[in-house]
Amino acid sequence: MASVSASHLILFIASMMVAASVAGVFTDSIGQLSNAVSEQGLDVSSEVRTDIEVISDAGSDAIYNTSGNDNITLHVKNTGSEDLGAEPGQMDLFVDGQYARTFGVTLLDDGVVWRPGTVVRLEISHSLSPGDHRVKVVVNGDEEVFKFRT
């Protein structure tokens, strides 16, 4: 009878060790999953608070080649609640579907950060033929498309 109790005790201890190791693995995996969800939540929150609007007049002659350097000039307003970077590395521009590599960004107020309610001027170096054109501005996941005619 003692041998049955001893074997039951050994099996019980072994099952407790297996359960403890499985619980340790699950705890670590759940912790990593929780951290990933938190980081993704911060990214989504930043994207939700980001909103921009191109406020240039599509019918204006002040859009293309005003300086004689084959450049596109757009005014973009930060209409979201998030401070944005006002540098070329913080935004992506596409002109007629082609990635624009050469452009300048100028804040039109005295700040150093593109705050909500303020405007930046984009000077995109790109020659255009007469006709319809599109500029796509992407900032922090928010996209705006501006259509105009030259």
Side-chain angles (χ1 to χ4, degrees):
M1 190 72 151
S3 65
V4 172
S5 296
S7 64
H8 283 160
L9 181 62
I10 290 171
L11 287 175
F12 176 75
I13 291 171
S15 64
M16 292 305 285
M17 290 176 60
V18 168
S21 65
V22 168
V25 169
F26 280 151
T27 301
D28 184 50
S29 297
I30 290 172
Q32 291 176 355
L33 181 63
S34 174
N35 289 339
V37 168
S38 294
E39 288 177 14
Q40 185 176 12
L42 291 173
D43 291 343
V44 168
S45 172
S46 178
E47 286 181 17
V48 166
R49 293 188 317 239
T50 300
D51 192 24
I52 59 169
E53 291 292 328
V54 178
I55 60 172
S56 295
D57 181 10
S60 172
D61 291 335
I63 299 293
Y64 180 65
N65 204 23
T66 56
S67 65
N69 296 328
D70 284 340
N71 62 337
I72 304 165
T73 303
L74 295 179
H75 290 88
V76 182
K77 185 174 186 176
N78 180 355
T79 57
S81 61
E82 179 89 358
D83 288 347
L84 301 173
E87 302 92 36
Q90 299 292 319
M91 59 183 69
D92 294 315
L93 299 177
F94 297 88
V95 178
D96 294 332
Q98 296 179 343
Y99 184 71
R101 287 181 168 69
T102 309
F103 63 93
V105 182
T106 306
L107 277 167
L108 297 183
D109 68 351
D110 293 331
V112 291
V113 176
W114 189 12
R115 299 198 185 286
T118 60
V119 177
V120 295
R121 180 176 53 239
L122 302 178
E123 298 278 342
I124 309 162
S125 298
H126 195 42
S127 60
L128 298 174
S129 60
D132 294 331
H133 301 283
R134 300 171 15 125
V135 175
K136 183 177 187 177
V137 182
V138 182
V139 178
N140 204 17
D142 185 46
E143 302 176 358
E144 288 299 318
V145 176
F146 181 72
K147 297 177 184 177
F148 65 100
R149 177 180 285 269
T150 57

